[in-house]
Amino acid sequence: MTLLDRTVATLGDLISFPTVSKDTNLDVIGYLARRMEEMGARIEVVHDDSGTKANLVATFGPEGDGGLMLCGHTDVVPVADQPWTQDPFEMWEADGLLYGRGTCDMKGFIACCVEAAPMLAEQVTDRPLHFVFTHDEETGCLGAQALVELLKKRKLRPALAIIGEPTEMRVIEGHKGCYEYHTEFTGLEGHGSAPDRGVNAVEYASRYVGRLLNVADRLKARTPEGSRFDPPWTTINVGVLSGGHAHNVIPARAEVAWEMRPVVLEDADFVKADMDAYVNEVLLPAMKAVSPDAGITTRTIAEVPGLEPMETNAARDLCCTLTGANGTHIVPFGTEAGLFQSLGIDAVVCGPGSIQQAHMADEFISRDQLGQCLDMLTRLGSRL
Ligand SMILES: [Zn+2]
């Protein structure tokens, strides 16, 4: 059996675990832990608070700082309401394409890692090589966030990280962050004929949205020089604005769901500071003057930092050498890479399969893409 055939077989195993983000990933983590342990890796399974999810860290070589991390997420997006032609959790092949939920995003990369591990392990010398398989990437990179906290606590910092999200093996050195919030407004109900006696939650939500749009305008002026993003500045989107029941009732509740996509970390702080000041100095005093119980609360759904293109990035340079790429790219989708970069790790995104197939019905990856990824990992071995 060739390396590629073994990889396809392992991918079939991985696809058979229905690791939709809302469900447990413990079975697939158990499978991967067993496979990596058989090859001589040191295994650490780190559970989340619920005990139903876990990250796996499998390490070859010495303990300690430095070295390389190969990272992939084990969760997949749901299949419900999608027109799949066959069972999404039983991989099938047609014309060199392997179909199933997660083939491309991103169990294909994980299968390549597992099959390349014995060869890589043999070449590891004085620095650690970590394989990191995470939970809950699709729902806000929760697994990677927990992993970053763990690394911080242990004062450990790998030097390089390759995140194998589907890029068709192109080298990606930048993407925007994704920060999502849910803001709720609690007012005081009353009759529409006496607006001054109530606190109109919808009106305050509208003023909040107005301020968000104002901040969005000011963000354009903060566009970093030479930004390669499209659009090149940090954007804000208001996705939900709801509240109220009838035209003659002062509404007591309203909500706004919004997101920003920062091109630099400072923009996220800028937006949060501006909105906090507006809430605390303008909106809340006016609301509480009428009803002390009125309030505004903002819940963070996710704060996934972007991957900022850097002048020096050893992971990017390594991937360019390994793949022979003569250029790098910026992508519009988020990954775990920014979280690792925030820890001071040089991070790059490069993996098999196309983002076009990710999250779709009849998701697939080609044998050819898996082969290219195995080539990259084989060349990596000789550079460890
Ligand atoms: Zn993914």
Side-chain angles (χ1 to χ4, degrees), residues 110-376:
I110 296 178
C112 290
C113 284
V114 170
E115 291 302 330
M119 169 196 64
L120 292 171
E122 258 176 39
Q123 321 229 24
V124 168
T125 51
D126 57 339
R127 280 165 296 182
L129 170 66
H130 306 283
F131 291 88
V132 174
F133 303 131
T134 58
H135 64 86
D136 288 304
E137 188 272 346
E138 301 288 2
T139 47
C141 294
L142 308 181
Q145 282 180 34
L147 187 80
V148 164
E149 289 310 313
L150 185 78
L151 289 171
K152 267 189 203 160
K153 209 164 75 190
R154 295 192 184 163
K155 299 194 185 349
L156 272 180
R157 201 177 70 188
L160 315 177
I162 299 175
I163 293 85
E165 291 276 2
T167 69
E168 297 173 274
M169 298 309 295
R170 294 181 311 151
V171 179
I172 307 301
E173 65 165 320
H175 60 71
K176 291 185 182 183
C178 187
Y179 288 52
E180 300 170 335
Y181 304 97
H182 199 106
T183 304
E184 283 177 9
F185 300 80
T186 307
L188 178 65
E189 204 164 62
H191 195 277
S193 62
D196 292 347
R197 279 188 235 148
V199 177
N200 189 317
V202 167
E203 282 183 18
Y204 281 99
S206 308
R207 290 174 68 181
Y208 187 88
V209 169
R211 184 68 173 200
L212 281 174
L213 300 180
N214 169 282
V215 177
D217 262 347
R218 282 182 281 142
L219 284 167
K220 291 183 186 172
R222 291 170 58 94
T223 305
E225 216 178 290
S227 171
R228 290 157 66 195
F229 292 105
D230 177 25
W233 51 79
T234 294
T235 56
I236 288 179
N237 181 59
V238 178
V240 177
L241 168 60
S242 72
H245 301 291
H247 59 271
N248 57 356
V249 180
I250 298 170
R253 309 201 72 83
E255 56 180 38
V256 175
W258 58 284
E259 60 150 41
M260 62 170 144
R261 308 234 167 188
V263 291
V264 289
L265 222 47
E266 298 82 66
D267 275 359
D269 295 335
F270 169 76
V271 173
K272 286 198 276 186
D274 187 283
M275 293 309 295
D276 282 350
Y278 185 64
V279 164
N280 291 321
E281 291 161 24
V282 180
L283 298 185
L284 278 180
M287 293 167 85
K288 286 186 183 295
V290 179
S291 166
D293 296 333
I296 301 173
T297 52
T298 291
R299 220 161 18 96
T300 301
I301 306 299
E303 288 188 339
V304 181
L307 177 64
E308 280 179 45
M310 296 288 182
E311 220 156 287
T312 57
N313 181 337
R316 168 199 63 200
D317 298 345
L318 174 66
C319 272
C320 284
T321 308
L322 295 175
T323 60
N326 47 20
T328 63
H329 302 266
I330 302 288
V331 288
F333 57 89
T335 76
E336 298 172 331
L339 280 164
F340 296 125
Q341 185 181 54
S342 70
L343 200 63
I345 300 172
D346 282 10
V348 68
V349 186
C350 181
S354 163
I355 197 70
Q356 301 295 335
Q357 273 86 52
H359 303 193
M360 304 296 278
D362 289 349
E363 173 181 347
F364 67 82
I365 194 167
S366 68
R367 272 183 181 259
D368 178 64
Q369 283 287 310
L370 292 177
Q372 285 188 40
C373 183
L374 290 168
D375 286 348
M376 174 178 86

Side-chain angles (χ1 to χ4, degrees), residues 26-170:
L26 294 185
D27 289 344
V28 79
I29 289 293
Y31 169 90
L32 289 167
R34 187 172 51 73
R35 293 287 309 268
M36 301 304 283
E37 198 163 28
E38 279 167 8
M39 300 169 199
R42 291 188 302 284
I43 298 299
E44 187 170 14
V45 175
V46 188
H47 290 86
D48 77 343
D49 289 340
S50 77
T52 63
K53 308 291 184 84
N55 290 325
L56 170 66
V57 183
T59 303
F60 294 98
E63 298 283 352
D65 251 352
L68 171 68
M69 278 199 319
L70 296 171
C71 311
H73 64 82
T74 59
D75 60 317
V76 296
V77 294
V79 295
D81 304 323
Q82 287 188 331
W84 284 77
T85 53
Q86 295 193 36
D87 181 353
F89 299 110
E90 200 173 308
M91 191 173 78
W92 76 94
E93 180 166 7
D95 300 326
L97 303 180
L98 303 148
Y99 292 85
R101 171 55 85 223
T103 44
C104 147
D105 186 12
M106 57 181 289
K107 290 174 171 175
F109 178 74
I110 296 178
C112 290
C113 284
V114 170
E115 291 302 330
M119 169 196 64
L120 292 171
E122 258 176 39
Q123 321 229 24
V124 168
T125 51
D126 57 339
R127 280 165 296 182
L129 170 66
H130 306 283
F131 291 88
V132 174
F133 303 131
T134 58
H135 64 86
D136 288 304
E137 188 272 346
E138 301 288 2
T139 47
C141 294
L142 308 181
Q145 282 180 34
L147 187 80
V148 164
E149 289 310 313
L150 185 78
L151 289 171
K152 267 189 203 160
K153 209 164 75 190
R154 295 192 184 163
K155 299 194 185 349
L156 272 180
R157 201 177 70 188
L160 315 177
I162 299 175
I163 293 85
E165 291 276 2
T167 69
E168 297 173 274
M169 298 309 295
R170 294 181 311 151

